[in-house]
C-alpha cells in the first residue's frame, strides 16, 4: 500500500501546445479552474524543436489563436521560432497555468474521477482535455533497425539541418510536406533521392501575391467550412484523410526535379544493411531520413475509448461514452483545419462550451472552485527567456487543492 499527495482540480488539460493554450484561453475566460500539464521543457517547444529552416505553409493571418493577433504582416509565412515565441507570448498574455516538464504516463478513471500520474506526481480531476495533434511519436518501419550501423539515419522529428548528415548520398523516405521540404534542403549539399509517391499537391506556387492573398482564402474556406463532419463531402473524405499524408503545399514535384532530387519508388525493406526499393533496386546511401509521419501515441491513456485502429472515438472532440473526457487538436476532429493553427481555436471553444454545459448539469458546477490566478508578477518588459520562465513558474498551487491519497 502506497500513500502520497494528489493535486486535485476541476479540469486538467494534457498538452500545452497551441491546442492546449487555446483551450486554456477559453477555460480562463469562463473563470473555470484548470491546469495545463505539458511534457516539454518550455512553451513552444513542439515548434522550436522542428528543423531549423521550417516556415509555416499557412500565412500569418491564419496563425492567430483566439484573442491574440499573430504579429507581423498577414501575408508573411512565419518561421517556426516566431510561432514558438507567439505561443510563449500567448501563455503570458492570458496567464495560463502551464506546468512544463510533466509527462503524463497514465490516465485512468477511479470513482468517476480522472486520475493521472507523471512519474511520482499524481493529479485528479472531474474533466480531462487531451489537447494535442497526432504528431507525437515518430513512426518508423520495423526494418529501419536492420540498416547498417554506419548509415546515419534520422526521423524528420530529429532532423535539424544538413550538418547532421555525413558525406555521400541521402535517401529521404516519404513524400509528404516534411519529406519534400527536407529533400529540397539536403539536395543543396548531398546527392539526394526521395522515395514514395505524394498524395497530390496544391497546383499553385504559394508564395506569390495572388496565392497569399486570394488562393489561401479559398483553401481556408474549404478546409475550415466545407470539409467538416457536418457536410456530406467532409464526412466522405474524413476516413481517408485521417490516415493519409496531406497534399504537398509549398514544394511541388517539379521543384524536386529542378533541385536535382531523384524520384524513386517506395522503400520496401532492407537487404544486406541497405535500403531496397519496391522495384528491387538497392540504394547504397550514407544517410536515410525517415519522413514517414507520426503516431498519436496514446498508450498512456488507459480508458476504453479507442476503436480497433487505435483512434479515439469521439464526436467533434467529445467522448460521449466517458462524460468529462475531451480531445482537441486531432486530425479532422471537426474539420480539415482542426490540427492546424487555422482550426484549433474554433474546436477549443466548442469543447469548452460542451464542458461548461456538463458542469452546469452537475453538482460540481456549484462547488466553490477557486478562480485561477496565475501570479502577481508582471511580464512587462521581460525578455523572451524571462517570459518562458514566468510561464513555467506562474502556476500557483493555491488554485488546486493538494490532498492525500492511498493507493492499494
Ligand atoms: P503539439 O504542438 O504536438 O503539442 C502537444 C504538446 O503536448 C507538446 O508540447 C507535448 O510535449 C505535449 N504532450 C504530448 N504528450 C504528452 C503527455 N503524455 N503528457 C504531457 N504532455 C504531453 N499547422 C499550420 O497551421 N501551419 C503550418 O504551416 C504547419 N506546419 C507543420 C509542419 C510540421 C513539420 C508539422 C509536424 C506540423 C505542422 N502543422 C502546421 C500542424 C500543427 O499546427 C502542428 O503540428 C502543431 O504543433 C500542433 O499543435 P498541438 O498543440 O495540437 O500539438
Amino acid at each position: 500500500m502506497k500513500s502520497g499527495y494528489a493535486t486535485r482540480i476541476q479540469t486538467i488539460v494534457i498538452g500545452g501546445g497551441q491546442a492546449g493554450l487555446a483551450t486554456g484561453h477559453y477555460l480562463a475566460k469562463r473563470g473555470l479552474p484548470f491546469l495545463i500539464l505539458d511534457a516539454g521543457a518550455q512553451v513552444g517547444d513542439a515548434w522550436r524543436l522542428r528543423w531549423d529552416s521550417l516556415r509555416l505553409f499557412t500565412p500569418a493571418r491564419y496563425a492567430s489563436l483566439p484573442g491574440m493577433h499573430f504579429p507581423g504582416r498577414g501575408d508573411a509565412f512565419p518561421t517556426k521560432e516566431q510561432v514558438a515565441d507567439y505561443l510563449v507570448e500567448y501563455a503570458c498574455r492570458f496567464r495560463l497555468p502551464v506546468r512544463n516538464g510533466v509527462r503524463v504516463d497514465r490516465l485512468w478513471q477511479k470513482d468517476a474521477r480522472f486520475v493521472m500520474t507523471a512519474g511520482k506526481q499524481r493529479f485528479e480531476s472531474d474533466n480531462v482535455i487531451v489537447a494535442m495533434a497526432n504528431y507525437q511519436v515518430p513512426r518508423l518501419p520495423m526494418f529501419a533497425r536492420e540498416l547498417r550501423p554506419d548509415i546515419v539515419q534520422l526521423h524528420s522529428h530529429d532532423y535539424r539541418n544538413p550538418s547532421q548528415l555525413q558525406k555521400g548520398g541521402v535517401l529521404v523516405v516519404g513524400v509528404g510536406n516534411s519529406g519534400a521540404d527536407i529533400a529540397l534542403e539536403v539536395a543543396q549539399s548531398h546527392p539526394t533521392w526521395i522515395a514514395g509517391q505524394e498524395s497530390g499537391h496544391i497546383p499553385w506556387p504559394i508564395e506569390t501575391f495572388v496565392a497569399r492573398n486570394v488562393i489561401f482564402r479559398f483553401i481556408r474556406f474549404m478546409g475550415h467550412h466545407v470539409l467538416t463532419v457536418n457536410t456530406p463531402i467532409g464526412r466522405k473524405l474524413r476516413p481517408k484523410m485521417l490516415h493519409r499524408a496531406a497534399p504537398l503545399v509549398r514544394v511541388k514535384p517539379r521543384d524536386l526535379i529542378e533541385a536535382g532530387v531523384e524520384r524513386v519508388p517506395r522503400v520496401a525493406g532492407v537487404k544486406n544493411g541497405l535500403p531496397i526499393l519496391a522495384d528491387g533496386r538497392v540504394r547504397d546511401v550514407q544517410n536515410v531520413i525517415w519522413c514517414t509521419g507520426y503516431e498519436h501515441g496514446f498508450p498512456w491513456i488507459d480508458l476504453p475509448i479507442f476503436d480497433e485502429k487505435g483512434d479515439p472515438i469521439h464526436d467533434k472532440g467529445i467522448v460521449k461514452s466517458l462524460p468529462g473526457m475531451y480531445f482537441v487538436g486531432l486530425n479532422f476532429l471537426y474539420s480539415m483545419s482542426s490540427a492546424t493553427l487555422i482550426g484549433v481555436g474554433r474546436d477549443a471553444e466548442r469543447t469548452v462550451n460542451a464542458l461548461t454545459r456538463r458542469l452546469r448539469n452537475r453538482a460540481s458546477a456549484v462547488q466553490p472552485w477557486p478562480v485561477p490566478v496565475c501570479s502577481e508578477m508582471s511580464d512587462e518588459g521581460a525578455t523572451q527567456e524571462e517570459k518562458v520562465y514566468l510561464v513555467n513558474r506562474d502556476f500557483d498551487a493555491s488554485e488546486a487543492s493538494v490532498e492525500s491519497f492511498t493507493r492499494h
Side-chain angles (χ1 to χ4, degrees), residues 99 395-402:
R99 260 201 205 176
F395 170 70
D396 179 345
S398 66
E399 291 162 29
S401 64
V402 179

Side-chain angles (χ1 to χ4, degrees), residues 14 106-110 113-116 128 130 298-307 311-313 319 321-327:
I14 306 177
R106 188 170 171 228
L107 161 65
W108 74 102
Q109 213 180 22
K110 188 173 178 257
R113 266 183 192 268
F114 292 98
V115 185
M116 283 134 275
V128 169
V130 175
F298 287 147
W300 51 272
I301 303 183
D302 192 0
L303 294 166
I305 57 165
F306 296 95
D307 65 16
D311 292 325
I313 303 167
V319 180
S321 63
L322 200 58
M325 173 94 203
Y326 307 87
F327 286 89

Side-chain angles (χ1 to χ4, degrees), residues 65-383:
L65 293 180
M68 188 173 132
H69 186 68
F70 197 97
R73 281 178 48 172
D75 67 350
F77 293 96
T79 64
K80 56 148 194 168
E81 295 295 338
Q82 288 169 326
V83 183
D85 290 349
Y86 170 76
L87 295 182
V88 171
E89 201 75 48
Y90 190 84
C92 274
R93 164 88 64 94
F94 298 109
R95 303 194 162 275
L96 301 176
V98 185
R99 260 201 205 176
N100 277 108
V102 181
R103 178 174 292 279
V104 174
D105 49 36
R106 188 170 171 228
L107 161 65
W108 74 102
Q109 213 180 22
K110 188 173 178 257
D111 306 330
R113 266 183 192 268
F114 292 98
V115 185
M116 283 134 275
T117 48
K120 288 189 178 143
Q121 301 179 74
R122 181 176 166 120
F123 302 87
E124 297 183 3
S125 62
D126 289 343
N127 309 284
V128 169
I129 304 174
V130 175
M132 59 187 76
N134 298 52
Y135 320 117
Q136 302 306 321
V137 178
R139 187 192 296 136
L140 279 173
M142 290 293 275
F143 50 74
R145 67 177 73 138
E146 295 166 28
L147 282 182
R148 270 191 348 227
D150 59 314
I151 294 178
V152 169
Q153 56 167 321
L154 294 169
H155 189 274
S156 58
H157 184 75
D158 303 307
Y159 171 80
R160 299 288 172 270
N161 57 57
S163 74
Q164 291 166 291
L165 306 175
Q166 57 186 342
K167 263 192 172 164
V170 183
L171 179 64
V172 175
V173 185
V175 198
N177 284 291
S178 304
D181 261 19
I182 293 173
L184 214 55
E185 177 164 275
V186 301
Q188 292 171 29
S189 48
H190 294 71
T192 304
W193 292 266
I194 188 164
Q197 188 59 48
E198 69 273 16
S199 45
H201 67 275
I202 291 178
W204 311 281
I206 64 163
E207 311 253 354
T208 62
F209 178 84
V210 177
R212 287 167 191 248
N213 294 288
V214 183
I215 294 173
F216 260 107
R217 284 181 207 277
F218 171 73
I219 294 174
R220 178 188 176 274
F221 180 79
M222 292 299 292
H224 201 57
H225 296 295
V226 178
L227 298 178
T228 78
V229 296
N230 283 346
T231 64
I233 183 164
R235 283 194 295 275
K236 191 171 170 204
L237 286 178
R238 185 174 184 270
K240 289 184 198 149
M241 288 182 162
L242 282 182
H243 293 284
R244 228 166 121 184
L248 300 185
V249 181
R250 177 173 283 112
V251 178
K252 313 293 169 217
R254 195 186 53 236
D255 300 331
L256 292 170
I257 294 164
E258 281 171 11
V261 178
E262 192 181 321
R263 303 288 304 264
V264 292
R266 67 183 183 82
V267 174
V270 170
K271 191 176 176 190
N272 300 329
L274 292 171
I276 178 167
L277 306 177
D279 61 6
R281 278 184 294 162
V282 171
R283 279 287 102 178
D284 189 0
V285 286
Q286 281 64 53
N287 307 276
V288 174
I289 307 178
W290 300 103
C291 299
T292 37
Y294 288 86
E295 310 286 349
H296 46 50
F298 287 147
W300 51 272
I301 303 183
D302 192 0
L303 294 166
I305 57 165
F306 296 95
D307 65 16
E308 66 287 351
K309 283 188 179 155
D311 292 325
I313 303 167
H314 63 84
D315 178 11
K316 302 171 195 167
I318 302 163
V319 180
K320 296 227 158 133
S321 63
L322 200 58
M325 173 94 203
Y326 307 87
F327 286 89
V328 177
L330 295 180
N331 271 352
F332 222 128
L333 184 106
Y334 170 72
S335 67
M336 202 181 156
S337 65
S338 283
T340 68
L341 285 154
I342 299 172
V344 73
R346 178 176 66 179
D347 289 352
E349 182 174 26
R350 188 185 331 94
T351 301
V352 173
N353 286 345
L355 188 150
T356 312
R357 278 196 300 277
R358 166 177 147 84
L359 291 175
R360 255 192 242 121
N361 297 334
R362 292 186 80 227
S364 64
V366 290
Q367 278 175 18
W369 287 94
V371 172
V373 181
C374 260
S375 91
E376 291 85 44
M377 294 181 68
S378 162
D379 55 30
E380 224 169 273
T383 64

